[in-house]
Amino acid sequence: MRILSIIRIVGILVMCFSLTMLAPAFVALLYGDGGGKAFMQTFVMSAIVGMLLWWPCHHHKEELRSRDGFLIVVAFWLVLGSIGAIPFMLFEKPHLSFSSAIFESFSGLTTTGATVIEGLDQLPKAILFYRQLLQWLGGMGIIVLAVAIIPLLGVGGTQLYRAESSGPLKEQKLRPRIAEVAKLLWILYFSLTVLCAIAYWFAGMNAFDAIGHSFSTVANGGFSTHDASMGYFNNATIYLITTFFMLIAGVNFNLHISALTYLGKQSLWKNYWEDPEFRFFVAIQVLFILLFSLSLYFYDVLTNLSDAFIQGSLQLTSMSMTAGYSIFDMNNLPAFSTMLLVIASVIGGCGGSTTGGLKTIRVLILWLQVKRELRSLVHPNLVQPIKLGQNILPIRMLESIWAFLMIFILVYWVCVFAVILCGMDVFDAMGSVFATLTNAGPGLGVIHQDFLNVPESAKIVFAFAMICGRLEIFSLLVLFTPTFWKE
């Protein structure tokens, strides 16, 4: 284990993260409603921490191995989340406790969208902007950003990208150089954010809300600058824009890059439609949106069919893409509608997107395996490999998906029991852990609006669950295995 090289790289990343504190400090200066001091103090503290980590080890530039990348990613997320909590504790309003600040910080960075803050409409613009910025940075993964723009690392970025990326097909590369891939992803991510902000502004949002909500929409995070979330705007055009960009961000970004790369050689739609995961993703979203919207209409939640489809599309897509936007109280929805939202959040978006959940690609492969097993019951001697498009899937990939599903269930129940020990009842514990482990945000029971009233100790468990969900569990849990630490 190249510990000194790892400390050096984490130090560089922390120093780079400290620069993000200058943006909300500028917003505080621009609006003059307070908050600048807290962010400047955090900037100085985080820069010093990064310097103290980097300087003693700055001569150590050994080549990274795969497990070094996992340790860097986990260490950086833990350090980043802790530093990100500092402004929440320095503010007089909201002045959060340590556990609440940790929860809010990790909720932002993991794009979970759950919050412990109320009275958003009365808060300084700087803290509102900071929450949105946390989600935007966490959406694509700040590690990928670091790999793209920080040549100071002195090592190849492949190990960091593998540890940070999501989905079982994350070994795929679009370019020989991983830094080039990361740059393309962030250019696309930034471009989508700009387009989303412009669309929001033309639809009626003011500039501050348009920029802030574009951050959380493209990140599929769901933080809002208003307590009523998207319901504050009560605007059908804004609802449709939100739905559209959440779905775009829910598609594999590698597929976006591939489609744009081959644009002109074949039709844009053909580039997407040839991908099996994309077709499965579209089919699921269309089916779920139709079912949920019709349920709102036939259960008389909304009496206008057009409103049912517009608002239903937003709410279903928000849960399916594991964003945190909400215009309905899940506790007051019909049971059928609520279960659709729960199932949608379990599946999530595509691998390589800004969403959480199991990921569509895993669900598709599991479905293909179920179909094969059913055929084997009828034809016991049938030997048929599982194919995704024209590619035969290796046995190792199938094993890894089943292992992921098992460890997902195990971590879920471990966190549920831990939260029960913290003082929550069984139903609330199950709903809360589900909302955080899938990075969905909204949930059932006591957390149907926010996590303000959950026990302080439980918030730490929820932060752990959010990190597991963001790093897809294995990247974190591998550090707890004896094999990882053996040379």
Side-chain angles (χ1 to χ4, degrees):
M1 191 70 64
R2 295 162 173 80
I3 297 296
L4 294 180
S5 292
I6 292 171
I7 294 175
R8 167 183 165 269
I9 294 171
V10 171
I12 294 173
L13 294 174
V14 170
M15 286 189 287
C16 292
F17 178 68
S18 69
L19 297 175
T20 63
M21 299 297 164
L22 299 179
F26 175 76
V27 171
L29 179 64
L30 186 65
Y31 284 91
D33 57 358
K37 181 180 177 181
F39 290 110
M40 290 306 299
Q41 289 175 332
T42 307
F43 164 70
V44 172
M45 285 187 282
S46 55
I48 291 174
V49 170
M51 182 65 71
L52 291 176
L53 290 172
W54 171 75
W55 178 251
C57 311
H58 70 279
H59 292 303
H60 295 270
K61 300 180 180 180
E62 294 92 349
E63 183 69 25
L64 288 181
R65 295 172 295 182
S66 295
R67 59 178 176 175
D68 298 325
F70 285 115
L71 185 56
I72 289 172
V73 168
V74 173
F76 180 58
W77 271 89
L78 293 175
V79 173
L80 182 150
S82 301
I83 293 175
I86 295 175
F88 294 115
M89 292 185 287
L90 294 179
F91 264 83
E92 293 183 4
K93 181 182 180 182
H95 180 72
L96 303 183
S97 65
F98 172 77
S99 56
S100 293
I102 288 291
F103 179 94
E104 194 75 14
S105 176
F106 279 106
S107 179
L109 289 168
T110 59
T111 69
T112 301
T115 185
V116 292
I117 299 176
E118 61 180 355
L120 296 175
D121 299 85
Q122 288 77 45
L123 292 181
K125 290 288 194 295
I127 198 70
L128 295 176
F129 179 83
Y130 176 61
R131 294 170 75 246
Q132 308 301 108
L133 181 63
L134 283 178
Q135 294 212 313
W136 191 76
L137 291 172
M140 181 62 70
I142 199 168
I143 294 293
V144 179
L145 174 64
V147 170
I149 67 171
I150 306 178
L152 296 175
L153 290 177
V155 295
T158 306
Q159 291 79 9
L160 298 183
Y161 182 81
R162 287 180 57 225
E164 170 66 17
S165 301
S166 63
L169 302 179
K170 62 183 178 181
E171 299 293 341
Q172 292 181 343
K173 295 183 186 178
L174 299 174
R175 298 288 188 279
R177 290 171 57 84
I178 201 67
E180 185 181 352
V181 176
K183 288 176 184 177
L184 288 172
L185 292 174
W186 270 95
I187 290 172
L188 176 60
Y189 189 61
F190 179 80
S191 300
L192 285 174
T193 305
V194 172
L195 290 174
C196 184
I198 293 173
Y200 277 145
W201 186 66
F202 275 111
M205 284 190 185
N206 60 45
F208 180 81
D209 281 342
I211 294 172
H213 285 87
S214 69
F215 284 176
S216 56
T217 299
V218 175
N220 272 315
F223 272 165
S224 178
T225 56
H226 303 281
D227 286 320
S229 191
M230 279 296 170
Y232 171 85
F233 301 100
N234 193 27
N235 185 312
T237 304
I238 289 176
Y239 293 166
L240 292 174
I241 291 171
T242 307
T243 302
F244 175 76
F245 279 97
M246 284 192 296
L247 288 171
I248 292 294
V251 175
N252 192 324
F253 271 69
N254 287 345
L255 184 58
H256 287 317
I257 296 295
S258 294
L260 294 175
T261 300
Y262 293 105
L263 187 62
K265 298 180 181 179
Q266 60 183 17
S267 68
L268 184 65
W269 178 249
K270 185 178 180 182
N271 277 295
Y272 284 99
W273 199 247
E274 287 180 346
D275 184 74
E277 182 189 18
F278 179 79
R279 295 197 301 270
F280 190 64
F281 170 79
V282 171
I284 287 178
Q285 298 312 312
V286 170
L287 176 62
F288 278 16
I289 287 174
L290 286 174
L291 290 175
F292 183 75
S293 300
L294 290 174
S295 73
L296 294 178
Y297 179 72
F298 287 113
Y299 281 105
D300 294 325
V301 177
L302 294 171
T303 57
N304 184 285
L305 189 58
S306 176
D307 289 342
F309 273 100
I310 292 173
Q311 297 184 36
S313 296
L314 171 61
Q315 186 64 72
L316 189 282
T317 303
S318 177
M319 287 297 290
S320 186
M321 299 300 100
T322 63
Y325 294 135
S326 183
I327 53 178
F328 296 101
D329 187 337
M330 290 180 63
N331 283 353
N332 296 329
L333 288 175
F336 177 82
S337 305
T338 301
M339 287 309 301
L340 277 177
L341 295 178
V342 171
I343 294 171
S345 64
V346 171
I347 297 174
C350 298
S353 69
T354 60
T355 62
L358 294 178
K359 299 293 190 301
T360 306
I361 184 64
R362 289 195 179 97
V363 177
L364 172 58
I365 293 174
L366 290 173
W367 170 243
L368 293 175
Q369 191 167 3
V370 168
K371 289 173 63 177
R372 185 184 68 172
E373 295 304 317
L374 292 175
R375 285 194 294 267
S376 297
L377 292 176
V378 180
H379 305 286
N381 297 323
L382 178 67
V383 178
Q384 182 179 0
I386 296 178
K387 297 178 67 176
L388 192 64
Q390 301 300 317
N391 301 316
I392 297 177
L393 298 179
I395 298 298
R396 179 70 187 89
M397 181 178 291
L398 300 177
E399 292 174 345
S400 69
I401 290 175
W402 281 108
F404 177 85
L405 184 60
M406 293 300 102
I407 199 66
F408 183 91
I409 295 172
L410 177 62
V411 170
Y412 171 78
W413 283 111
V414 168
C415 290
V416 167
F417 281 111
V419 170
I420 291 174
L421 290 175
C422 293
M424 295 186 69
D425 64 40
V426 175
F427 179 79
D428 288 335
M430 293 173 63
S432 302
V433 173
F434 177 83
T436 50
L437 186 58
T438 60
N439 299 131
L444 299 171
V446 71
I447 52 97
H448 65 108
Q449 290 184 326
D450 54 49
F451 282 70
L452 181 63
N453 297 316
V454 303
E456 291 294 304
S457 55
K459 294 173 184 176
I460 302 298
V461 179
F462 294 140
F464 172 78
M466 288 186 279
I467 299 172
C468 283
R470 181 64 179 87
L471 296 180
E472 302 217 326
I473 302 178
F474 279 127
S475 297
L476 177 61
L477 296 188
V478 69
L479 270 63
F480 295 94
T481 63
T483 305
F484 179 85
W485 300 99
K486 291 181 180 178
E487 290 293 338

